[in-house]
Amino acid sequence: MILSELQPAPPDAILGLTEAYKQDARENKINLGVGVYQDDSGVTPVLPSVKTAEERVLAAEKTKSYLSIGGSPEYKAHVQELLFGATHAIIRDQRARTAHTPGGTGGLRVGAEFLKKVRPEATIWVSIPTWANHPGIFTAAGFQVAQYPYYDATTKGLDYEGMLEALRKVPAGDIVLLHVCCHNPTGVDLSESQWHEIGAIATAQGWTPFLDFAYQGLGDNLERDRLGLVTLLESVPECFIASSFSKNFGLYRERTGALTLVAHAAGAAAAAFSHVEKTIRVIYSNPPAHGGLIVSTILSDQELRAQWQEEVAAIRDRIQSVRTTLVRELHQRNVDRDFSFIEHQRGMFSFSGLSDQQVDFLREQKGIYIVKGGRVNVAGITSRNMTYLCDAIAEALKSG
Ligand code: LMR
């Protein structure tokens, strides 16, 4: 027998919270765990541009036959255009190859499986802290996971010196995972000059960057948010990029992401990509179509595209205004801590500085769900729950 002796697996650090939240009977409960956008009425909307695109997709769709292993050419082209900018030399020189993967998670896992095949001895380096699922994905592919310093809890900013010191010691052939923008969970990003310096270190050391790019458009805007990526690519000859349309198109459950590899030349990119296709074939064969069709429909229509860009801007603006209100409301409660750093963090999350004990207090006593480590999904805060949340945080801070 296989199944009779298994103990239950521990709940997922992020998605497990949503399950616990659903079971919670308290009326004033708040889910600030998983990174999913909500509007001020607490709804995760289907973007109007997406609704329009879906109507067109359904009307035009003639087949449900398989896509090719890497997905449709239109989708791949749109992914690259958003990643690099339409006129970037990498696109012109065909140095990039893209596969449509089931979400950014799928892109990370396919990349990890591919890398394990071609670089079995490599170690993958992740930031302290990083997205809770990163170590799991790379461990599942058989990698050793090592860590480099990133966040300084005292300054609530970047531990840049610590980071550089560690990255200067990463051996040639290893892989370093970096977040392009809206670092998850800290919301603390690198500046352009810091990306330059890290690119120079990668090139000198001979390690390969693996970029996680799940929040394009939620930092400054679609163009500025790619700055780290294009800056790095000025010096590094190759890299991997896992990207996602879950957040900026609100396509969470459509699992619409990508893995893109960049090689030093077109021939190398094409050869490497043929191995990525082999990797995909034995995992899920080929990607689901619907989300990719939505993205392609929107990005290839000037009007729809402009509408979508406004919708992304509205998401970004709401999150920023929640940050401002949150800081003000906490200040008004005379809490013994300065939370002004929350206003400067970028993307969906605030790394609040709440201790695990305070996080437990909020969940157990108040029905407020926050990821261990103190990551708060700012996009889950609304005018309706703000007062309750800030009162509860003030109480949690007093509780120890
Ligand atoms: C998050 O960090 O909350 C999101 O990326 C969703 C997830 O899959 O964990």
Side-chain angles (χ1 to χ4, degrees), residues 257-275:
L259 174 70
T260 298
L261 60 80
V262 178
H264 76 284
F273 191 69
S274 68
H275 294 280

Side-chain angles (χ1 to χ4, degrees), residues 31 38 41 44 48 51 57 69 92 103 125 181 185 223 254 256 282 291 301 346-347 372:
N31 186 4
Q38 292 179 16
S41 57
T44 301
K51 268 285 179 218
V57 166
I69 295 174
R92 188 196 59 218
W125 295 74
C181 74
E223 291 77 30
E254 301 297 351
T256 313
V282 295
D301 178 299
R346 294 150 52 83
K372 200 162 170 257

